[in-house]
Amino acid sequence: ITGQDYPLDAQVTCAIQLEDVGGPLSASLLDVCSYPSEQPNSDPSDCIIIRNNKGILVIYKDVDPNNSLTNWNFTISGPTSLNPSISGDGNTGILAVDLGTYSITETAGLGTNINDYSTFWNCAKNGSSYLSGIGTNISNIVIGSAGNTVDSVVCTFTNSYKQGKIVVDKVTNPSGDSQSFNFTTTGSGYSGFSLTDTATPNEQELMAGTYSVAETAISGWNTVSSCISSIGDTETAASLELDPSETITCTFTNSKLSVNVLKTANPTSIPETGGNVEFTVKVENPSAVSINLTSLSDNKFGDLDGVGTCDVPQTIVSLGYYECKFTKYISGEAGQNHTNIVTATASGITDDDDATVDFSDVKPSIEVTKTADPTSVPETGGNVTFTFEVKNTSTEEPVTITSLE
């Protein structure tokens, strides 16, 4: 823009990046003038800006992490009142203000919640450290002059996004079990880990966001989880919405599963010729939680589902049991026995038990029939043919005739 004495006079604008001259904490604006400052273009006395009795104030905004979508408003109160705004990282540029005492208050602009951030500020005057503190308000900023030099004050507001915390605790039943459990996680920066009942809970500080934590299943253990939010939010391990300054504590409780099988036979001894035996199967659950009986099988009679009164699947409550019966006809050799084993599978764990039936000896029997032919003879005598018939009336084994008398 040409001045009134153009072409011997002109007004120009320029920009100086403070980072290029040491940064806002060490750089101080002393003067503005053209180069060279001499006639006919200018005179050194024309370029001394303090002649306006204006001090210099610059506000820098440092958002950690930087987010250009955040908006920050500042209220400058003092002899000169201003209301500049900054989006994300940035600065107000040089603000010329009247000499005097000032305060600066920071507030959040559109789409920004200042409660999600912790705020620290520091000010430099004429390149030297001047004021510092925490919070959103700076007071008692004195901008004066000394001789022909006015004060230059640069204040930086640093807003750090508050982190939340996810805590995961492991509890086993029975307490103190040494089993180690692995956990997988999702979400930026959230690392997987492992825990035992006696280990210190896993605690990780994270940026606000969406996370999840899941336990890798281990056979023979039942898992139940619950999560509590420090700010009263409803949270589940599969969907954790972590807010700034929020602590979410998730507890994974693992109950060790157990199953006991008892099998009995009635009667426990039968003749070797065979007979019906009633088998009773009892499946007990000594665990602290319910188990799901999914299979009953016998090594001699196969799958027992639908055999007798046996029917699976069945849910067996803690400290409860399931019982069923079935009848089978069996036979064998005397002096030997019949043993069959039943196996129960419940919630991934198994147990078995057997029952034994003895075979008792059955003695063979014979039937002797004697006939005469003829059945009558004269008193004077005659020949009679006697026939002996020995019949084996048992069905178990042959007999040997050792004598006839």
Side-chain angles (χ1 to χ4, degrees):
I1 302 173
T2 57
Q4 62 184 359
D5 296 326
Y6 177 81
L8 300 179
D9 192 10
Q11 296 180 5
V12 297
T13 59
C14 64
I16 299 174
Q17 299 297 324
L18 294 183
E19 287 79 2
D20 295 338
V21 289
L25 294 181
S26 60
S28 177
L29 182 64
L30 299 178
D31 208 344
V32 177
C33 56
S34 63
Y35 179 82
S37 297
E38 58 185 23
Q39 298 293 344
N41 295 324
S42 65
D43 186 270
S45 64
D46 295 334
C47 64
I48 299 175
I49 63 173
I50 63 173
R51 291 191 171 223
N52 294 324
N53 289 324
K54 295 284 188 180
I56 293 173
L57 179 62
V58 181
I59 299 175
Y60 270 76
K61 162 56 60 181
D62 181 13
V63 183
D64 182 23
N66 183 29
N67 183 352
S68 61
L69 298 180
T70 57
N71 297 287
W72 308 93
N73 300 326
F74 296 91
T75 300
I76 300 173
S77 300
T80 301
S81 296
L82 299 169
N83 295 283
S85 297
I86 303 173
S87 296
D89 287 350
N91 62 79
T92 60
I94 296 174
L95 303 174
V97 297
D98 293 331
L99 304 183
T101 301
Y102 287 84
S103 66
I104 304 173
T105 300
E106 178 188 47
T107 58
L110 182 65
T112 305
N113 185 351
I114 203 166
N115 293 324
D116 292 345
Y117 293 82
S118 57
T119 305
F120 168 80
W121 52 262
N122 63 78
C123 297
K125 179 188 284 191
N126 303 326
S128 299
S129 181
Y130 177 41
L131 300 171
S132 65
I134 59 175
T136 58
N137 184 71
I138 309 174
S139 59
N140 297 319
I141 303 171
V142 178
I143 299 178
S145 63
N148 290 329
T149 302
V150 293
D151 289 334
S152 175
V153 176
V154 177
C155 292
T156 300
F157 283 79
T158 300
N159 294 81
S160 298
Y161 199 59
K162 293 178 181 179
Q163 292 184 316
K165 187 184 298 182
I166 299 177
V167 180
V168 177
D169 190 18
K170 164 57 57 191
V171 175
T172 61
N173 187 5
S175 177
D177 195 281
S178 61
Q179 175 68 51
S180 180
F181 298 86
N182 295 326
F183 292 85
T184 57
T185 58
T186 63
S188 178
Y190 194 21
S191 302
F193 53 92
S194 60
L195 286 174
T196 63
D197 184 22
T198 57
T200 300
N202 180 269
E203 182 176 305
Q204 296 186 43
E205 290 189 350
L206 302 162
M207 298 300 294
T210 302
Y211 300 89
S212 72
V213 58
E215 182 182 273
T216 302
I218 296 179
S219 179
W221 290 87
N222 172 265
T223 304
V224 176
S225 66
S226 62
C227 298
I228 298 175
S229 164
S230 62
I231 61 175
D233 286 353
T234 299
E235 306 285 357
T236 64
S239 180
L240 301 172
E241 296 293 335
L242 186 64
D243 294 317
S245 301
E246 179 185 22
T247 297
I248 301 175
T249 301
C250 294
T251 301
F252 284 77
T253 301
N254 295 80
S255 298
K256 199 168 189 175
L257 302 179
S258 181
V259 60
N260 294 330
V261 176
L262 300 173
K263 182 179 183 182
T264 57
N266 183 32
T268 57
S269 178
I270 60 173
E272 61 181 329
T273 53
N276 288 323
V277 177
E278 182 184 65
F279 295 96
T280 299
V281 179
K282 186 176 185 179
V283 183
E284 298 177 329
N285 175 20
S287 310
V289 294
S290 297
I291 59 175
N292 187 29
L293 178 65
T294 55
S295 173
L296 276 177
S297 62
D298 191 284
N299 68 326
K300 297 292 178 65
F301 306 123
D303 186 3
L304 297 180
D305 183 24
V307 178
T309 63
C310 297
D311 182 29
V312 292
Q314 295 285 337
T315 298
I316 309 176
V317 299
S318 173
L319 305 181
Y321 67 90
Y322 171 73
E323 184 176 277
C324 66
K325 302 175 183 289
F326 64 94
T327 300
K328 291 292 183 179
Y329 182 90
I330 58 175
S331 62
E333 295 292 331
Q336 298 182 1
N337 56 47
H338 168 97
T339 299
N340 60 318
I341 303 171
V342 67
T343 300
T345 302
S347 297
I349 56 174
T350 62
D351 191 40
D352 58 55
D353 194 21
D354 59 43
T356 299
V357 178
D358 296 325
F359 297 115
S360 59
D361 189 20
V362 178
K363 299 297 184 180
S365 60
I366 59 174
E367 182 181 285
V368 178
T369 303
K370 180 181 179 182
T371 59
D373 185 22
T375 58
S376 177
V377 295
E379 62 178 331
T380 56
N383 290 324
V384 178
T385 300
F386 293 95
T387 301
F388 294 89
E389 183 181 83
V390 180
K391 182 179 180 181
N392 181 5
T393 58
S394 65
T395 60
E396 299 306 309
E397 55 187 271
V399 296
T400 301
I401 300 174
T402 57
S403 67
L404 282 174
E405 299 179 356

